[in-house]
Amino acid sequence: MPSSSDRRATPPGGRLSDAALAALPAEIAVPGYERRTVTPGIVHLGVGAFQRAHQAVYVDDCLAAGETGWGIVGASLRSSGTRDALAPQDGLYTLAVRSGGGERLRIVGSILSLLVAPENPSALLDALSDPRTRIVTLTVTEKAYLRAADGSLDAAHSDIAHDLANPDAPRTVHGFLVEALARRRASGTQPFTVLTCDNLPANGATVRRLMIEFAGLRDADLARHVKQDVAFPSTMVDRIVPATTDADRARVAQSLGVEDAWPVMTEPFCQWVVEDNFPMGRPAWEKVGATMVDDVGPYEDMKLRLLNGAHSAIAYLGLLAGHETVDRAFGDPAIRRFVDGLWSEAIPSLPGDAGLDTRRYTTELAERFSNPALAHRTAQIANDGSQKLPQRIVNSALAALEAGRPADHLALAFAAWIAACEARGRSLPDRHFTDPLDEALGAAATRTLAPDAAVRAVFDLTGFAAASPHRDALMRSVASHLSSLRAGGPAAAFCTLQQAGTTE
Ligand code: CS2
């Protein structure tokens, strides 16, 4: 521990770092362990704000409990932003937990080093092949898994072709993980466990399937190895993490007395449900608040359909109604009522026998969405709708139609996505939110097409509901809501919805 004279000797100002910890104000929590004794056990791909507010905090708690073999090597697959911000800070950053009651700050120390894959792919492959690496965690967002419209690997993607031709300098998650697994096998090192923390349906099984497909494009034997010998537990991760703003940076610096180039903002709520399948061991996450289970499925569906489904609906309707943040949009009584209706359509699609307490869950969600201190931007959630809506909205809508139940709110939420895409360059700035399919979406989600033609073009493009007998019914319903949204925005669409409800 630094002495009190060290405390006095640290000059005010400067940058967050190991050396600056001792001089931080006493109310700011700092890592409760000697960071230099920690060794790496986890490589994390996609070291963005979400992971730093979620998994890295669980690991930080495990390190403080004495499990010092589980430090994190963080890697970015695209930009150098996080490394540039955190490397000069010895990997340290501030977690700001914000609510109406104020802000609590904590310094997290579990990230030991940072890599930028495009700058040095070999360094990342070395870290992944290191026998000390027993778990690889991922938060790379839905689109980074390169799924084609039918859910299989998009083998025609140029990055996949690149990775097959250049296994030593890959670009994709598949390229990195499969090459590292091949190297581990060649050197007699047990495969790491792959733990995806992205909001994909059945995320472990989905990533496993994609990775087996990719390995099969390299060689059949490698595909067999991935299939038989590598564990891909599923997880449900949950914490709302808005993008950090310059005002957040300034406020945090003021409280710390030193600058933190990239603090992370979040809410008090935090949940992690993990399928317990880690052949090379794992930190005792259950001792620090995670729930280890045999089957994540019901929790995952509840989260994707109730939290994320409502989030996307709030985002698109909020954008159309001129609300910049989730709390403002959710505070709009018409949107609030709409979300209740959406929940009542989605809840019956969840397994009734899994012990899920949906009433408590939605009550808690309503409080979380109302958090006035988060300023979670609707435009942030609106990104990548083509990757998010199947698991958030379409699956619940198809389940409702299958059971002969109404799915009008779900269809309206879907229509709001199309309407918000159409509004870009009109009532919303051009690239107010983005999507990997933007180029093609520009031609499909457009007011030059009649609502039914626009909806059909979007369904054709995305492959949504392709195999479902209820595809046409869903498209018809989406088109009629799109028509109301075009005519009079959310207010008109809610009005039609209410009329439909009263005449049923
Ligand atoms: C949000 C999620 O941006 C989005 O699409 O719905 O990031 C959401 O905040 C998290 O999944 C909450 O756990």
Side-chain angles (χ1 to χ4, degrees):
M1 280 305 285
S3 67
S4 55
S5 61
D6 287 336
R7 277 185 174 251
R8 274 197 306 275
T10 309
R15 188 79 172 259
L16 177 63
S17 66
D18 279 327
L21 286 179
L24 295 180
E27 67 276 13
I28 294 171
V30 297
Y33 50 91
E34 285 286 350
R35 291 187 80 219
R36 50 186 178 74
T37 64
V38 176
T39 52
I42 298 172
V43 172
H44 181 79
L45 305 186
V47 62
F50 179 77
Q51 181 254 353
R52 293 199 279 127
H54 191 267
Q55 177 240 353
V57 181
Y58 286 90
V59 172
D60 200 53
D61 286 338
C62 289
L63 297 177
E67 293 195 89
T68 51
W70 290 107
I72 301 169
V73 175
S76 300
L77 290 187
R78 296 159 66 118
S79 81
S80 64
T82 308
R83 190 275 318 274
D84 296 345
L86 299 197
Q89 306 180 177
D90 302 321
L92 294 170
Y93 61 92
T94 313
L95 181 75
V97 178
R98 294 171 63 72
S99 68
E103 180 171 69
R104 247 180 323 112
L105 302 185
R106 158 181 182 172
I107 309 297
V108 179
S110 53
I111 299 182
L112 304 181
S113 58
L114 291 125
L115 303 172
V116 181
E119 278 178 14
N120 190 351
S122 301
L124 177 53
L125 285 171
D126 287 348
L128 290 166
S129 312
D130 186 327
R132 292 177 301 177
T133 300
R134 284 150 287 158
I135 303 176
V136 177
T137 50
L138 299 100
T139 48
V140 287
T141 79
E142 298 88 339
K143 61 177 175 279
Y145 295 97
L146 303 178
R147 292 169 299 158
D150 67 356
S152 64
L153 183 72
D154 183 2
H157 195 285
S158 58
D159 284 348
I160 298 283
H162 171 274
D163 285 8
L164 293 171
N166 304 278
D168 291 337
R171 288 180 186 152
T172 70
V173 284
H174 307 299
F176 274 106
L177 295 191
V178 169
E179 173 61 13
L181 287 165
R183 291 185 186 188
R184 290 174 81 102
R185 187 163 68 143
S187 66
T189 306
Q190 203 184 330
F192 44 65
T193 299
V194 179
L195 182 66
T196 170
C197 300
D198 281 299
N199 287 322
L200 296 169
N203 57 6
T206 300
V207 173
R208 174 175 182 267
R209 183 174 47 69
L210 294 166
M211 217 146 286
I212 294 169
E213 269 188 72
F214 177 83
L217 297 174
R218 287 188 48 171
D219 81 71
D221 199 36
L222 196 50
R224 234 181 336 268
H225 173 57
V226 176
K227 187 170 182 176
Q228 287 169 2
D229 306 324
V230 184
F232 291 84
S234 277
T235 54
M236 186 277 265
V237 295
D238 190 5
R239 197 164 211 188
I240 294 175
V241 187
T244 304
T245 64
D246 285 342
D248 295 326
R249 286 188 178 84
R251 205 184 48 252
V252 167
Q254 183 81 34
S255 301
L256 298 185
V258 290
E259 191 198 333
D260 176 349
W262 206 332
V264 178
M265 305 298 118
T266 194
E267 60 174 341
F269 183 94
C270 191
Q271 191 180 18
W272 197 12
V273 184
V274 190
E275 180 186 335
D276 202 356
N277 178 16
F278 292 80
M280 286 197 83
R282 60 166 174 82
W285 283 317
E286 73 282 5
K287 292 195 180 148
V288 294
T291 310
M292 309 302 297
V293 297
D294 290 336
D295 181 13
V296 174
Y299 298 93
E300 189 182 66
D301 283 344
M302 178 165 78
K303 193 250 170 175
L304 288 171
R305 295 179 187 191
L306 302 188
L307 186 156
N308 296 114
H311 242 180
S312 291
I314 292 167
Y316 298 122
L317 290 165
L319 285 174
L320 294 171
H323 299 300
E324 244 185 78
T325 60
V326 171
D327 61 309
R328 293 272 171 89
F330 196 63
D332 175 335
I335 294 185
R336 175 64 228 260
R337 244 191 330 274
F338 174 82
V339 171
D340 280 335
L342 182 126
W343 281 335
S344 66
E345 288 175 1
I347 286 172
S349 75
L350 300 172
D353 56 356
L356 300 174
D357 187 345
T358 54
R359 183 184 293 270
R360 181 162 154 218
Y361 192 71
T362 49
T363 305
E364 212 163 23
L365 282 182
E367 271 169 39
R368 295 170 67 193
F369 292 162
S370 306
N371 186 333
L374 280 183
H376 196 189
R377 294 184 63 246
T378 42
Q380 181 182 349
I381 300 168
N383 287 317
D384 297 348
S386 70
Q387 312 292 302
K388 294 172 174 174
L389 291 195
Q391 55 273 22
R392 296 180 178 207
I393 300 287
V394 178
N395 288 352
S396 323
L398 293 178
L401 294 174
E402 177 70 37
R405 285 184 276 101
D408 268 312
H409 291 75
L410 293 157
L412 201 167
F414 193 104
W417 171 51
I418 301 181
C421 290
E422 290 176 353
R424 288 181 300 177
R426 297 164 64 101
S427 55
L428 295 172
D430 227 351
R431 289 175 59 78
H432 198 48
F433 59 92
T434 61
D435 193 290
L437 296 186
D438 263 342
E439 218 170 291
L441 270 176
T446 161
R447 284 190 171 214
T448 54
L449 296 178
D452 55 343
V455 170
R456 181 168 294 279
V458 170
F459 271 67
D460 286 348
L461 171 68
T462 54
F464 290 167
S468 168
H470 305 287
R471 182 175 190 255
D472 284 344
L474 181 58
M475 287 197 302
R476 271 197 305 277
S477 177
V478 173
S480 92
H481 293 299
L482 180 60
S483 162
S484 312
L485 285 168
R486 281 185 181 176
F494 293 154
C495 203
T496 323
L497 189 66
Q498 220 170 9
Q499 280 160 5
T502 51
T503 53
E504 255 166 26

PDB file of all heavy atoms in Angstrom, residues 50 199 237-241 303 307-308 311 376 380-381 388 392, ligand 1:
ATOM      1  N   PHE A  50     -19.595  -1.835 -23.291  1.00  0.00           N
ATOM      2  CA  PHE A  50     -20.447  -2.837 -22.639  1.00  0.00           C
ATOM      3  C   PHE A  50     -19.616  -3.814 -21.811  1.00  0.00           C
ATOM      4  O   PHE A  50     -19.888  -4.051 -20.628  1.00  0.00           O
ATOM      5  CB  PHE A  50     -21.317  -3.607 -23.650  1.00  0.00           C
ATOM      6  CG  PHE A  50     -22.155  -4.629 -22.932  1.00  0.00           C
ATOM      7  CD1 PHE A  50     -23.289  -4.229 -22.237  1.00  0.00           C
ATOM      8  CD2 PHE A  50     -21.757  -5.955 -22.849  1.00  0.00           C
ATOM      9  CE1 PHE A  50     -24.023  -5.141 -21.486  1.00  0.00           C
ATOM     10  CE2 PHE A  50     -22.488  -6.871 -22.109  1.00  0.00           C
ATOM     11  CZ  PHE A  50     -23.627  -6.462 -21.441  1.00  0.00           C
ATOM     12  N   ASN A 199     -25.892 -10.310 -28.024  1.00  0.00           N
ATOM     13  CA  ASN A 199     -27.341 -10.538 -27.938  1.00  0.00           C
ATOM     14  C   ASN A 199     -27.879 -11.322 -29.131  1.00  0.00           C
ATOM     15  O   ASN A 199     -28.792 -10.872 -29.822  1.00  0.00           O
ATOM     16  CB  ASN A 199     -28.074  -9.191 -27.872  1.00  0.00           C
ATOM     17  CG  ASN A 199     -27.917  -8.516 -26.521  1.00  0.00           C
ATOM     18  OD1 ASN A 199     -27.928  -9.173 -25.482  1.00  0.00           O
ATOM     19  ND2 ASN A 199     -27.774  -7.214 -26.539  1.00  0.00           N
ATOM     20  N   VAL A 237     -26.464 -11.671 -21.043  1.00  0.00           N
ATOM     21  CA  VAL A 237     -25.786 -10.548 -20.395  1.00  0.00           C
ATOM     22  C   VAL A 237     -26.751  -9.383 -20.339  1.00  0.00           C
ATOM     23  O   VAL A 237     -27.535  -9.182 -21.259  1.00  0.00           O
ATOM     24  CB  VAL A 237     -24.529 -10.113 -21.179  1.00  0.00           C
ATOM     25  CG1 VAL A 237     -23.485 -11.206 -21.188  1.00  0.00           C
ATOM     26  CG2 VAL A 237     -24.872  -9.700 -22.603  1.00  0.00           C
ATOM     27  N   ASP A 238     -26.730  -8.630 -19.269  1.00  0.00           N
ATOM     28  CA  ASP A 238     -27.663  -7.501 -19.195  1.00  0.00           C
ATOM     29  C   ASP A 238     -27.128  -6.357 -18.346  1.00  0.00           C
ATOM     30  O   ASP A 238     -26.958  -6.495 -17.121  1.00  0.00           O
ATOM     31  CB  ASP A 238     -29.022  -7.973 -18.643  1.00  0.00           C
ATOM     32  CG  ASP A 238     -30.087  -6.894 -18.782  1.00  0.00           C
ATOM     33  OD1 ASP A 238     -29.813  -5.845 -19.384  1.00  0.00           O
ATOM     34  OD2 ASP A 238     -31.207  -7.123 -18.285  1.00  0.00           O
ATOM     35  N   ARG A 239     -26.896  -5.254 -18.988  1.00  0.00           N
ATOM     36  CA  ARG A 239     -26.631  -3.983 -18.314  1.00  0.00           C
ATOM     37  C   ARG A 239     -26.749  -2.886 -19.380  1.00  0.00           C
ATOM     38  O   ARG A 239     -26.218  -3.048 -20.475  1.00  0.00           O
ATOM     39  CB  ARG A 239     -25.226  -3.963 -17.705  1.00  0.00           C
ATOM     40  CG  ARG A 239     -25.075  -2.863 -16.681  1.00  0.00           C
ATOM     41  CD  ARG A 239     -23.867  -3.029 -15.796  1.00  0.00           C
ATOM     42  NE  ARG A 239     -24.165  -2.473 -14.488  1.00  0.00           N
ATOM     43  CZ  ARG A 239     -23.262  -2.320 -13.525  1.00  0.00           C
ATOM     44  NH1 ARG A 239     -22.020  -2.713 -13.704  1.00  0.00           N
ATOM     45  NH2 ARG A 239     -23.613  -1.791 -12.363  1.00  0.00           N
ATOM     46  N   ILE A 240     -27.436  -1.838 -19.057  1.00  0.00           N
ATOM     47  CA  ILE A 240     -27.593  -0.747 -20.028  1.00  0.00           C
ATOM     48  C   ILE A 240     -26.370   0.169 -19.943  1.00  0.00           C
ATOM     49  O   ILE A 240     -26.012   0.635 -18.852  1.00  0.00           O
ATOM     50  CB  ILE A 240     -28.907   0.018 -19.769  1.00  0.00           C
ATOM     51  CG1 ILE A 240     -30.091  -0.932 -20.053  1.00  0.00           C
ATOM     52  CG2 ILE A 240     -28.991   1.265 -20.641  1.00  0.00           C
ATOM     53  CD1 ILE A 240     -31.462  -0.357 -19.715  1.00  0.00           C
ATOM     54  N   VAL A 241     -25.738   0.363 -21.089  1.00  0.00           N
ATOM     55  CA  VAL A 241     -24.470   1.106 -21.132  1.00  0.00           C
ATOM     56  C   VAL A 241     -24.505   2.131 -22.272  1.00  0.00           C
ATOM     57  O   VAL A 241     -24.144   1.823 -23.402  1.00  0.00           O
ATOM     58  CB  VAL A 241     -23.274   0.143 -21.339  1.00  0.00           C
ATOM     59  CG1 VAL A 241     -21.951   0.895 -21.221  1.00  0.00           C
ATOM     60  CG2 VAL A 241     -23.317  -1.007 -20.354  1.00  0.00           C
ATOM     61  N   LYS A 303     -34.984 -11.825 -21.982  1.00  0.00           N
ATOM     62  CA  LYS A 303     -34.231 -10.566 -22.108  1.00  0.00           C
ATOM     63  C   LYS A 303     -34.327 -10.004 -23.525  1.00  0.00           C
ATOM     64  O   LYS A 303     -34.572  -8.815 -23.727  1.00  0.00           O
ATOM     65  CB  LYS A 303     -32.779 -10.825 -21.702  1.00  0.00           C
ATOM     66  CG  LYS A 303     -31.989  -9.568 -21.480  1.00  0.00           C
ATOM     67  CD  LYS A 303     -30.970  -9.355 -22.539  1.00  0.00           C
ATOM     68  CE  LYS A 303     -30.360  -7.976 -22.444  1.00  0.00           C
ATOM     69  NZ  LYS A 303     -29.281  -7.757 -23.373  1.00  0.00           N
ATOM     70  N   LEU A 307     -36.708  -6.935 -22.846  1.00  0.00           N
ATOM     71  CA  LEU A 307     -35.853  -5.739 -22.732  1.00  0.00           C
ATOM     72  C   LEU A 307     -35.487  -5.208 -24.125  1.00  0.00           C
ATOM     73  O   LEU A 307     -35.814  -4.091 -24.504  1.00  0.00           O
ATOM     74  CB  LEU A 307     -34.576  -6.047 -21.944  1.00  0.00           C
ATOM     75  CG  LEU A 307     -33.696  -4.812 -21.647  1.00  0.00           C
ATOM     76  CD1 LEU A 307     -32.817  -5.038 -20.443  1.00  0.00           C
ATOM     77  CD2 LEU A 307     -32.835  -4.343 -22.798  1.00  0.00           C
ATOM     78  N   ASN A 308     -34.797  -6.044 -24.901  1.00  0.00           N
ATOM     79  CA  ASN A 308     -34.288  -5.539 -26.177  1.00  0.00           C
ATOM     80  C   ASN A 308     -35.414  -5.234 -27.166  1.00  0.00           C
ATOM     81  O   ASN A 308     -35.334  -4.266 -27.930  1.00  0.00           O
ATOM     82  CB  ASN A 308     -33.268  -6.519 -26.784  1.00  0.00           C
ATOM     83  CG  ASN A 308     -32.013  -6.673 -25.930  1.00  0.00           C
ATOM     84  OD1 ASN A 308     -31.755  -7.745 -25.397  1.00  0.00           O
ATOM     85  ND2 ASN A 308     -31.250  -5.632 -25.771  1.00  0.00           N
ATOM     86  N   HIS A 311     -36.735  -1.998 -26.118  1.00  0.00           N
ATOM     87  CA  HIS A 311     -35.711  -0.992 -26.419  1.00  0.00           C
ATOM     88  C   HIS A 311     -35.771  -0.558 -27.878  1.00  0.00           C
ATOM     89  O   HIS A 311     -35.751   0.630 -28.197  1.00  0.00           O
ATOM     90  CB  HIS A 311     -34.326  -1.596 -26.147  1.00  0.00           C
ATOM     91  CG  HIS A 311     -33.573  -0.886 -25.082  1.00  0.00           C
ATOM     92  ND1 HIS A 311     -32.323  -1.273 -24.688  1.00  0.00           N
ATOM     93  CD2 HIS A 311     -33.881   0.203 -24.335  1.00  0.00           C
ATOM     94  CE1 HIS A 311     -31.900  -0.476 -23.729  1.00  0.00           C
ATOM     95  NE2 HIS A 311     -32.827   0.427 -23.501  1.00  0.00           N
ATOM     96  N   HIS A 376     -29.651   7.616 -22.329  1.00  0.00           N
ATOM     97  CA  HIS A 376     -29.360   6.585 -23.334  1.00  0.00           C
ATOM     98  C   HIS A 376     -30.014   7.011 -24.646  1.00  0.00           C
ATOM     99  O   HIS A 376     -31.233   7.089 -24.737  1.00  0.00           O
ATOM    100  CB  HIS A 376     -29.944   5.258 -22.844  1.00  0.00           C
ATOM    101  CG  HIS A 376     -29.418   4.065 -23.554  1.00  0.00           C
ATOM    102  ND1 HIS A 376     -29.944   2.809 -23.383  1.00  0.00           N
ATOM    103  CD2 HIS A 376     -28.412   3.909 -24.442  1.00  0.00           C
ATOM    104  CE1 HIS A 376     -29.283   1.952 -24.126  1.00  0.00           C
ATOM    105  NE2 HIS A 376     -28.359   2.596 -24.787  1.00  0.00           N
ATOM    106  N   GLN A 380     -28.625   5.506 -30.598  1.00  0.00           N
ATOM    107  CA  GLN A 380     -27.627   4.451 -30.347  1.00  0.00           C
ATOM    108  C   GLN A 380     -28.283   3.070 -30.479  1.00  0.00           C
ATOM    109  O   GLN A 380     -27.755   2.169 -31.129  1.00  0.00           O
ATOM    110  CB  GLN A 380     -27.016   4.621 -28.946  1.00  0.00           C
ATOM    111  CG  GLN A 380     -25.948   3.567 -28.636  1.00  0.00           C
ATOM    112  CD  GLN A 380     -25.352   3.686 -27.226  1.00  0.00           C
ATOM    113  OE1 GLN A 380     -25.563   4.669 -26.509  1.00  0.00           O
ATOM    114  NE2 GLN A 380     -24.602   2.672 -26.825  1.00  0.00           N
ATOM    115  N   ILE A 381     -29.448   2.930 -29.889  1.00  0.00           N
ATOM    116  CA  ILE A 381     -30.134   1.631 -29.927  1.00  0.00           C
ATOM    117  C   ILE A 381     -30.649   1.332 -31.338  1.00  0.00           C
ATOM    118  O   ILE A 381     -30.756   0.173 -31.743  1.00  0.00           O
ATOM    119  CB  ILE A 381     -31.307   1.637 -28.919  1.00  0.00           C
ATOM    120  CG1 ILE A 381     -30.758   1.877 -27.516  1.00  0.00           C
ATOM    121  CG2 ILE A 381     -32.088   0.326 -28.958  1.00  0.00           C
ATOM    122  CD1 ILE A 381     -31.839   2.189 -26.494  1.00  0.00           C
ATOM    123  N   LYS A 388     -30.768  -7.025 -35.342  1.00  0.00           N
ATOM    124  CA  LYS A 388     -31.365  -7.151 -34.009  1.00  0.00           C
ATOM    125  C   LYS A 388     -32.822  -7.607 -34.033  1.00  0.00           C
ATOM    126  O   LYS A 388     -33.282  -8.301 -33.130  1.00  0.00           O
ATOM    127  CB  LYS A 388     -31.304  -5.795 -33.294  1.00  0.00           C
ATOM    128  CG  LYS A 388     -29.895  -5.306 -32.964  1.00  0.00           C
ATOM    129  CD  LYS A 388     -29.938  -3.873 -32.429  1.00  0.00           C
ATOM    130  CE  LYS A 388     -28.584  -3.393 -31.937  1.00  0.00           C
ATOM    131  NZ  LYS A 388     -28.600  -1.966 -31.559  1.00  0.00           N
ATOM    132  N   ARG A 392     -35.490  -9.925 -31.462  1.00  0.00           N
ATOM    133  CA  ARG A 392     -36.167  -9.007 -30.545  1.00  0.00           C
ATOM    134  C   ARG A 392     -37.669  -8.911 -30.817  1.00  0.00           C
ATOM    135  O   ARG A 392     -38.453  -8.753 -29.894  1.00  0.00           O
ATOM    136  CB  ARG A 392     -35.568  -7.602 -30.673  1.00  0.00           C
ATOM    137  CG  ARG A 392     -34.126  -7.556 -30.245  1.00  0.00           C
ATOM    138  CD  ARG A 392     -33.554  -6.156 -30.367  1.00  0.00           C
ATOM    139  NE  ARG A 392     -32.176  -6.157 -29.890  1.00  0.00           N
ATOM    140  CZ  ARG A 392     -31.547  -5.111 -29.388  1.00  0.00           C
ATOM    141  NH1 ARG A 392     -32.165  -3.961 -29.310  1.00  0.00           N
ATOM    142  NH2 ARG A 392     -30.308  -5.205 -28.960  1.00  0.00           N
TER     143      ARG A 392
HETATM  144  C1  CS2 B   1     -29.648  -2.083 -26.587  1.00  0.00           C
HETATM  145  C2  CS2 B   1     -28.732  -3.014 -25.796  1.00  0.00           C
HETATM  146  O1  CS2 B   1     -28.264  -0.891 -28.074  1.00  0.00           O
HETATM  147  C3  CS2 B   1     -29.108  -1.792 -27.973  1.00  0.00           C
HETATM  148  O2  CS2 B   1     -29.527  -2.408 -28.943  1.00  0.00           O
HETATM  149  O3  CS2 B   1     -30.915  -2.673 -26.665  1.00  0.00           O
HETATM  150  O4  CS2 B   1     -27.400  -2.660 -25.905  1.00  0.00           O
HETATM  151  C4  CS2 B   1     -29.148  -3.071 -24.315  1.00  0.00           C
HETATM  152  O5  CS2 B   1     -28.918  -1.829 -23.686  1.00  0.00           O
HETATM  153  C5  CS2 B   1     -28.413  -4.159 -23.591  1.00  0.00           C
HETATM  154  O6  CS2 B   1     -28.632  -5.385 -24.248  1.00  0.00           O
HETATM  155  C6  CS2 B   1     -28.864  -4.222 -22.141  1.00  0.00           C
HETATM  156  O7  CS2 B   1     -28.352  -5.359 -21.544  1.00  0.00           O
END
